[in-house]
Amino acid sequence: MKSLKFSFSFVLLAVLCGGGTASRVAAKPPAEPVQIPAAYAGLPRLTGKALVELQTSKGPIVIAVDGDRSPINAGNFVDLVQKGVYTNTPVNRSEKGYLMQVSDPQGGNDGGYKDPSTGKIRRIPIEIIPEGQAQPVYGKTLKAAGIPETTFPVMRHLPGAVGLAHTEKDPNSGSTQFYITYGNNEMVNPRGNFLDGRYSVFGYVVDGLTNAEKLRVGDKILSAKVLLGGEKLQPPVTK
C-alpha cells in the first residue's frame, strides 16, 4: 500500500508540474483567480487541485480535479465524493470509442443531490473559460455567450476529460451526473469536438482510463474518495 500511495502522490506532482502523462492538465493556475459570481456563492468550490480515486466494477480510475479553472464544478464533484454520493452508483451511458456517463444516485436521469439545507436538488451552472480570457463564462454555452466558434475552451474534451452532464436545453441543470471521454466526437463543429464549449470540463483522468473504457451500462462506481487536496474544498458562503 505504501508504494500505491507514493504513486498517487507522484501523479499529483506530475499534474501540478505539467509533466508526464498528466501534461494535459495545465501546470500553473490562471494569472488571475477566478471570480465567482455572487449568484453562485451558495455552492461549494475548490481552490486548487485535488486527486480523486473511483473504485469501479472494472478497476480503479484516478482523476485530477482542477479547481483553478473550474472551481464550482470541481468543488461540487469533490464535495459529492466526500459525502459518499457516488457509492454504488451505476453507469447509465456507454458509447464505445467516445465516453461513459454515471447516473444520478437513484440510478436514473432526472434526480441529483438533494441539499439537506434547502430540501432541493443542488444545480450547478456551466462554467467554461475561453482561451485568451481569465474568467469563465457562467450560465451559458460559449455560443450563447457570443464567443466565436474558432475559440477553444481552456479545459478541452481531450481523451480522459471529466465533465458535468446537463440536459440539452438547460446548461445550468447539472448536479451529480458526470462523464469521462476517451475519444473525440468530431461532428460539424469548428472547435473540433461536439462537447467543447457546450459542457464544463473540471478534471482529467490521470490513471485508469482503460478501465473507464471498459465500463458498460449496469456497471457501477463502487466507491469514491479524495486522495489529496480535500482541504482545498471551500464551503458555501452563507449570508
Side-chain angles (χ1 to χ4, degrees), residues 58-110:
K58 291 297 191 294
I61 300 169
V62 181
I63 299 168
V65 186
D66 193 338
D68 289 322
R69 290 166 179 77
S70 188
I72 291 179
N73 280 250
N76 174 66
F77 181 68
V78 170
D79 182 56
L80 295 176
V81 168
Q82 290 188 338
K83 284 180 166 59
V85 168
Y86 293 115
T87 300
N88 292 320
T89 300
V91 171
N92 68 340
R93 181 181 177 188
S94 175
E95 296 188 28
K96 187 176 181 180
Y98 182 30
L99 61 72
M100 57 75 65
Q101 184 169 311
V102 175
S103 76
D104 64 48
Q106 291 75 41
N109 292 312
D110 300 322

Coordinates of all heavy atoms in Angstrom, one line a residue, residues 58-110:
K58 N -14.9 -2.3 -13.0 CA -13.8 -2.6 -14.0 C -12.4 -2.2 -13.5 O -11.5 -2.2 -14.3 CB -14.2 -2.0 -15.3 CG -15.4 -2.6 -16.0 CD -15.2 -4.1 -16.3 CE -16.3 -4.6 -17.3 NZ -17.6 -4.7 -16.6
G59 N -12.3 -1.7 -12.3 CA -11.0 -1.3 -11.8 C -11.0 0.2 -11.4 O -11.9 0.9 -11.7
P60 N -9.9 0.6 -10.8 CA -9.8 2.0 -10.3 C -9.5 3.0 -11.4 O -8.9 2.7 -12.5 CB -8.6 1.9 -9.3 CG -7.7 0.8 -9.9 CD -8.7 -0.2 -10.4
I61 N -10.0 4.2 -11.2 CA -9.8 5.4 -12.0 C -9.4 6.5 -11.2 O -10.1 6.8 -10.2 CB -11.1 5.7 -12.8 CG1 -11.6 4.6 -13.7 CG2 -10.9 7.0 -13.7 CD1 -13.0 4.8 -14.2
V62 N -8.3 7.2 -11.5 CA -7.8 8.3 -10.7 C -8.0 9.6 -11.5 O -7.6 9.7 -12.7 CB -6.3 8.1 -10.3 CG1 -5.9 9.3 -9.5 CG2 -6.2 6.9 -9.5
I63 N -8.6 10.6 -10.9 CA -8.9 11.9 -11.6 C -8.3 13.0 -10.9 O -8.3 13.2 -9.7 CB -10.5 12.1 -11.6 CG1 -11.2 11.0 -12.3 CG2 -10.8 13.4 -12.2 CD1 -12.7 11.0 -12.1
A64 N -7.6 13.9 -11.7 CA -7.0 15.1 -11.2 C -8.1 16.2 -11.4 O -8.5 16.4 -12.6 CB -5.8 15.5 -11.9
V65 N -8.6 16.8 -10.3 CA -9.7 17.7 -10.4 C -9.1 19.1 -10.3 O -8.3 19.4 -9.4 CB -10.7 17.5 -9.2 CG1 -11.9 18.4 -9.4 CG2 -11.1 16.0 -9.2
D66 N -9.5 20.0 -11.3 CA -8.9 21.3 -11.4 C -9.8 22.4 -10.9 O -10.7 22.9 -11.6 CB -8.5 21.6 -12.9 CG -7.6 22.7 -13.1 OD1 -7.6 23.6 -12.2 OD2 -6.9 22.8 -14.1
G67 N -9.6 22.8 -9.7 CA -10.4 23.9 -9.1 C -9.9 25.3 -9.5 O -10.5 26.3 -9.2
D68 N -8.7 25.4 -10.1 CA -8.2 26.7 -10.5 C -9.0 27.2 -11.7 O -9.2 28.4 -11.8 CB -6.7 26.5 -11.0 CG -5.8 26.3 -9.8 OD1 -6.0 26.9 -8.7 OD2 -4.8 25.5 -9.9
R69 N -9.4 26.3 -12.6 CA -10.1 26.7 -13.8 C -11.6 26.4 -13.8 O -12.4 26.9 -14.6 CB -9.5 26.1 -15.0 CG -8.1 26.6 -15.3 CD -7.3 25.8 -16.2 NE -6.0 26.4 -16.5 CZ -5.0 26.4 -15.6 NH1 -5.1 25.7 -14.5 NH2 -3.8 27.0 -15.8
S70 N -12.0 25.6 -12.9 CA -13.4 25.2 -12.8 C -13.8 25.1 -11.3 O -14.2 24.0 -10.9 CB -13.7 24.0 -13.6 OG -15.1 23.7 -13.7
P71 N -13.7 26.1 -10.5 CA -13.9 26.0 -9.1 C -15.2 25.5 -8.6 O -15.3 24.7 -7.6 CB -13.6 27.4 -8.5 CG -13.8 28.3 -9.7 CD -13.4 27.5 -10.9
I72 N -16.3 25.9 -9.3 CA -17.6 25.4 -8.8 C -17.9 24.0 -9.3 O -18.3 23.2 -8.4 CB -18.7 26.4 -9.4 CG1 -18.6 27.7 -8.7 CG2 -20.1 25.8 -9.1 CD1 -19.6 28.7 -9.2
N73 N -17.6 23.7 -10.5 CA -17.9 22.3 -11.0 C -16.9 21.3 -10.2 O -17.3 20.2 -9.8 CB -17.7 22.2 -12.5 CG -18.9 22.7 -13.3 OD1 -19.6 21.9 -13.9 ND2 -19.1 24.0 -13.2
A74 N -15.7 21.7 -10.1 CA -14.7 20.9 -9.3 C -15.1 20.7 -7.9 O -15.1 19.7 -7.3 CB -13.3 21.4 -9.5
G75 N -15.5 21.9 -7.3 CA -15.9 21.8 -5.9 C -17.2 21.0 -5.6 O -17.3 20.2 -4.6
N76 N -18.1 21.0 -6.6 CA -19.3 20.2 -6.4 C -18.9 18.7 -6.5 O -19.4 17.9 -5.6 CB -20.3 20.5 -7.6 CG -21.5 19.6 -7.7 OD1 -22.3 19.6 -6.8 ND2 -21.5 18.8 -8.7
F77 N -18.0 18.3 -7.4 CA -17.6 16.9 -7.5 C -16.9 16.5 -6.3 O -17.2 15.4 -5.7 CB -16.7 16.8 -8.8 CG -16.3 15.4 -9.0 CD1 -17.2 14.4 -9.4 CD2 -14.9 15.0 -8.9 CE1 -16.8 13.1 -9.6 CE2 -14.5 13.8 -9.1 CZ -15.4 12.8 -9.5
V78 N -15.9 17.2 -5.8 CA -15.2 16.8 -4.6 C -16.1 16.7 -3.4 O -16.0 15.8 -2.6 CB -14.0 17.8 -4.4 CG1 -13.4 17.5 -3.0 CG2 -13.0 17.6 -5.5
D79 N -17.0 17.7 -3.3 CA -18.0 17.7 -2.2 C -18.8 16.4 -2.2 O -19.1 15.8 -1.2 CB -18.8 18.9 -2.2 CG -19.8 19.0 -1.1 OD1 -19.4 19.0 0.1 OD2 -21.0 19.1 -1.3
L80 N -19.3 16.0 -3.4 CA -20.2 14.9 -3.5 C -19.4 13.6 -3.2 O -19.9 12.7 -2.6 CB -20.8 14.8 -4.9 CG -21.7 15.9 -5.3 CD1 -22.2 15.8 -6.8 CD2 -23.0 15.9 -4.4
V81 N -18.1 13.6 -3.6 CA -17.3 12.4 -3.3 C -17.1 12.3 -1.8 O -17.2 11.2 -1.2 CB -15.9 12.6 -4.0 CG1 -14.9 11.5 -3.4 CG2 -16.0 12.4 -5.5
Q82 N -16.8 13.4 -1.1 CA -16.6 13.4 0.3 C -17.9 13.0 1.0 O -17.9 12.4 2.1 CB -16.1 14.7 0.8 CG -14.7 15.0 0.4 CD -14.2 16.3 1.1 OE1 -14.9 17.2 1.5 NE2 -12.9 16.4 1.1
K83 N -19.1 13.3 0.5 CA -20.3 12.9 1.1 C -20.7 11.5 0.8 O -21.8 11.0 1.3 CB -21.4 13.9 0.6 CG -21.4 15.3 1.2 CD -22.5 16.1 0.6 CE -22.7 17.4 1.5 NZ -21.5 18.3 1.6
G84 N -20.0 10.8 0.0 CA -20.3 9.4 -0.4 C -21.4 9.2 -1.4 O -22.0 8.1 -1.5
V85 N -21.7 10.3 -2.1 CA -22.8 10.2 -3.0 C -22.6 9.2 -4.1 O -23.6 8.6 -4.6 CB -23.1 11.6 -3.6 CG1 -24.0 11.6 -4.8 CG2 -23.6 12.6 -2.6
Y86 N -21.4 8.9 -4.5 CA -21.2 8.0 -5.7 C -21.0 6.6 -5.3 O -20.7 5.7 -6.1 CB -20.0 8.5 -6.5 CG -20.2 9.8 -7.1 CD1 -19.5 11.0 -6.8 CD2 -21.2 10.0 -8.1 CE1 -19.7 12.2 -7.4 CE2 -21.4 11.2 -8.7 CZ -20.7 12.3 -8.4 OH -20.9 13.5 -9.0
T87 N -21.2 6.2 -4.0 CA -21.2 4.8 -3.6 C -22.2 4.0 -4.3 O -23.4 4.3 -4.2 CB -21.3 4.7 -2.1 OG1 -20.3 5.5 -1.5 CG2 -21.2 3.2 -1.7
N88 N -21.8 3.0 -5.0 CA -22.7 2.0 -5.8 C -23.6 2.8 -6.8 O -24.8 2.5 -6.9 CB -23.6 1.3 -4.8 CG -22.8 0.3 -4.0 OD1 -21.9 -0.4 -4.5 ND2 -23.1 0.2 -2.7
T89 N -23.1 3.8 -7.4 CA -23.8 4.5 -8.4 C -23.6 3.9 -9.8 O -22.4 3.7 -10.2 CB -23.3 6.0 -8.5 OG1 -23.6 6.6 -7.2 CG2 -24.1 6.8 -9.5
P90 N -24.6 3.5 -10.5 CA -24.5 2.8 -11.8 C -24.1 3.7 -13.0 O -24.3 4.9 -13.0 CB -25.9 2.2 -12.1 CG -26.8 3.1 -11.3 CD -26.1 3.6 -10.1
V91 N -23.5 3.1 -14.0 CA -23.2 3.7 -15.3 C -24.5 3.7 -16.1 O -25.1 2.6 -16.2 CB -22.1 3.0 -16.0 CG1 -21.9 3.5 -17.4 CG2 -20.8 3.1 -15.2
N92 N -24.9 4.8 -16.7 CA -26.2 4.8 -17.4 C -26.0 5.1 -18.9 O -26.9 5.1 -19.7 CB -27.2 5.7 -16.8 CG -26.8 7.2 -17.0 OD1 -25.6 7.5 -17.2 ND2 -27.7 8.1 -16.9
R93 N -24.7 5.3 -19.3 CA -24.4 5.5 -20.7 C -23.0 5.1 -21.0 O -22.1 5.3 -20.3 CB -24.5 7.0 -21.0 CG -24.3 7.4 -22.5 CD -24.4 8.9 -22.7 NE -24.1 9.3 -24.1 CZ -24.0 10.5 -24.5 NH1 -24.2 11.5 -23.6 NH2 -23.8 10.8 -25.7
S94 N -22.9 4.4 -22.2 CA -21.6 3.9 -22.6 C -21.6 3.9 -24.1 O -22.4 3.2 -24.7 CB -21.3 2.5 -22.1 OG -20.1 2.0 -22.6
E95 N -20.7 4.7 -24.7 CA -20.5 4.7 -26.2 C -19.1 4.4 -26.5 O -18.2 5.1 -26.2 CB -20.9 6.1 -26.7 CG -22.4 6.4 -26.4 CD -22.8 7.7 -27.1 OE1 -22.2 8.1 -28.2 OE2 -23.7 8.4 -26.6
K96 N -18.9 3.2 -27.1 CA -17.6 2.7 -27.5 C -16.8 3.8 -28.3 O -17.3 4.3 -29.3 CB -17.7 1.4 -28.2 CG -16.4 0.7 -28.5 CD -16.6 -0.6 -29.2 CE -15.2 -1.3 -29.4 NZ -15.4 -2.6 -30.0
G97 N -15.6 4.0 -27.8 CA -14.7 5.0 -28.5 C -15.0 6.4 -28.3 O -14.4 7.3 -28.9
Y98 N -16.0 6.7 -27.3 CA -16.4 8.1 -27.1 C -16.4 8.4 -25.6 O -15.6 9.2 -25.2 CB -17.7 8.3 -27.8 CG -18.3 9.7 -27.7 CD1 -17.4 10.8 -27.6 CD2 -19.6 10.0 -27.6 CE1 -17.9 12.1 -27.5 CE2 -20.1 11.2 -27.6 CZ -19.3 12.3 -27.5 OH -19.8 13.6 -27.4
L99 N -17.4 7.9 -24.9 CA -17.5 8.2 -23.5 C -18.3 7.3 -22.7 O -19.0 6.4 -23.2 CB -18.1 9.7 -23.3 CG -19.5 10.0 -23.8 CD1 -20.6 9.4 -23.0 CD2 -19.7 11.5 -23.9
M100 N -18.2 7.4 -21.3 CA -19.1 6.7 -20.4 C -19.7 7.8 -19.5 O -19.1 8.8 -19.3 CB -18.4 5.6 -19.6 CG -17.2 6.1 -18.8 SD -17.5 7.0 -17.3 CE -18.4 5.8 -16.3
Q101 N -20.9 7.5 -18.9 CA -21.5 8.5 -18.1 C -22.1 7.8 -16.9 O -22.7 6.7 -17.0 CB -22.6 9.3 -18.8 CG -23.3 10.4 -18.0 CD -24.2 11.3 -18.9 OE1 -23.7 11.7 -20.0 NE2 -25.4 11.5 -18.5
V102 N -22.0 8.5 -15.7 CA -22.6 8.0 -14.5 C -23.9 8.6 -14.2 O -24.1 9.8 -14.4 CB -21.6 8.3 -13.3 CG1 -22.2 7.9 -12.0 CG2 -20.2 7.6 -13.6
S103 N -24.9 7.8 -13.7 CA -26.2 8.2 -13.5 C -26.3 9.1 -12.2 O -25.3 9.3 -11.5 CB -27.2 7.1 -13.4 OG -27.0 6.4 -12.1
D104 N -27.5 9.5 -11.9 CA -27.7 10.2 -10.6 C -27.7 9.1 -9.5 O -27.8 7.9 -9.8 CB -28.9 11.0 -10.6 CG -30.2 10.2 -10.7 OD1 -30.4 9.2 -10.0 OD2 -31.1 10.6 -11.5
P105 N -27.7 9.5 -8.2 CA -27.6 8.5 -7.1 C -28.7 7.5 -7.1 O -28.6 6.4 -6.5 CB -27.6 9.4 -5.8 CG -27.0 10.7 -6.3 CD -27.6 10.9 -7.7
Q106 N -29.9 7.9 -7.6 CA -31.0 7.0 -7.6 C -31.0 6.0 -8.8 O -31.9 5.2 -9.0 CB -32.4 7.8 -7.7 CG -32.6 8.5 -6.4 CD -31.8 9.8 -6.2 OE1 -31.6 10.5 -7.2 NE2 -31.3 10.0 -5.0
G107 N -30.0 6.2 -9.7 CA -29.9 5.3 -10.8 C -30.7 5.7 -12.0 O -30.8 5.0 -13.0
G108 N -31.1 7.0 -12.0 CA -31.9 7.5 -13.2 C -31.3 8.6 -13.8 O -30.1 8.8 -13.8
N109 N -32.1 9.5 -14.5 CA -31.6 10.6 -15.2 C -32.1 12.0 -14.7 O -31.6 13.0 -15.1 CB -31.9 10.5 -16.7 CG -31.2 9.3 -17.4 OD1 -30.0 9.2 -17.2 ND2 -31.9 8.5 -18.1
D110 N -33.1 12.0 -13.9 CA -33.7 13.2 -13.5 C -33.4 13.7 -12.1 O -33.8 14.8 -11.8 CB -35.3 13.1 -13.7 CG -35.7 12.7 -15.1 OD1 -35.0 13.2 -16.0 OD2 -36.6 11.9 -15.2

